[in-house]
Amino acid sequence: MRSIVLRLVDLPRDIYVKLDDTTRSELLRRATRVLGRARLSKELGITLRMLRNAESGVALLKLGMWLKMAEIAHYPLEKLEAGVIAIRGRKGPDARIELPLKATPEFVEMTGYVVSSGVKVKKYIVLLCDSPSLVERIADLAFNLWGVKLWSSEKRVILPLSVSVIFEAAGVPTSTELGWGWEIPPWVKMYPKDFLRGFQSGCRLKIIASRGSLRFYIKAHNHRRASSFLESIASLYRELGVNIMSSPRIISVKDNYYCVLDIYRRDTIEEMLKLGFTSNEKAEMVKELLLEKILAARFSRHSSFNR
């Protein structure tokens, strides 16, 4: 299905998984019936006490352990997947999740922020922000999607491991990984407006006032794939009636290569503004740019009339 972002088997085996009471009890009972409690704990590499805690729901087990029990008990993978209610990293809060994970407008918007503003710090994704309004929007999305409260400051938001692993498992790159390219998946294309609102509000779009333009840019590790990604971005805009006429190009800046997509046309910038920016600071800068272009056009017509 086009809407499916990831399934249970896509998650890393060392992530902790919380099952609903019915699934947890049934799977543990069936696996214990096959091997016995002592042998099962040995097979899983945990103590009997930890196994008892898992039976009562006090302790969470890693995904790899649940999959091994499902194999031992011949438990259907679909039932195990449907029983997942949350995941947790080694540290940090539980993230509420329903599998298979399906795309929603909110999830796709959050994907836009990860792709545009995300950087990897160890196993965590950190989102760099230029506006308190952007921090607030990302925090609201995280709570609505996963029931987690994020650590944030005025300029950045840290996604907990339980959330970061979802994007990694779904194959979503951070902004620093975009230079290798990314083929935009079908589930993103289901909600192009939401994705582009997140993407254009992030760090990959900058305002070049001296040239009267907007510029999407990514550091190009693979020129062809980076160009293909920005061309896909332009295609998404065109599907929404935002007519981006320019094509991606490669430029060199201090021995580094960047793939850029420049936007000069006033009507195109106006349509991008209508899509919305969740960064108030960026929205104001785009409005100022448009005002300058309008005044410049009026001055040009006035000068031509006088001549």
Side-chain angles (χ1 to χ4, degrees), residues 177-246:
E177 297 167 328
L178 269 183
W180 300 104
W182 184 46
E183 185 176 347
I184 298 176
W187 53 266
V188 168
K189 295 178 181 178
M190 291 179 63
Y191 304 103
K193 184 175 181 178
D194 300 277
F195 175 76
L196 291 174
R197 185 188 301 115
F199 186 74
Q200 72 180 21
S201 296
C203 297
R204 293 306 98 200
L205 178 70
K206 64 179 179 180
I207 293 90
I208 307 179
S210 61
R211 302 180 65 178
S213 67
L214 303 181
R215 169 176 287 180
F216 287 112
Y217 72 102
I218 54 177
K219 192 172 182 179
H221 304 299
N222 183 305
H223 295 186
R224 180 180 62 81
R225 291 180 179 177
S227 297
S228 177
F229 169 73
L230 282 186
E231 181 54 47
S232 298
I233 290 293
S235 295
L236 286 182
Y237 275 110
R238 294 183 194 115
E239 288 176 14
L240 296 173
V242 182
N243 194 15
I244 294 181
M245 305 292 291
S246 55

Side-chain angles (χ1 to χ4, degrees), residues 106-117:
E106 287 186 323
F107 182 84
V108 172
E109 182 184 340
M110 180 67 93
T111 300
Y113 298 126
V114 171
V115 173
S116 184
S117 300

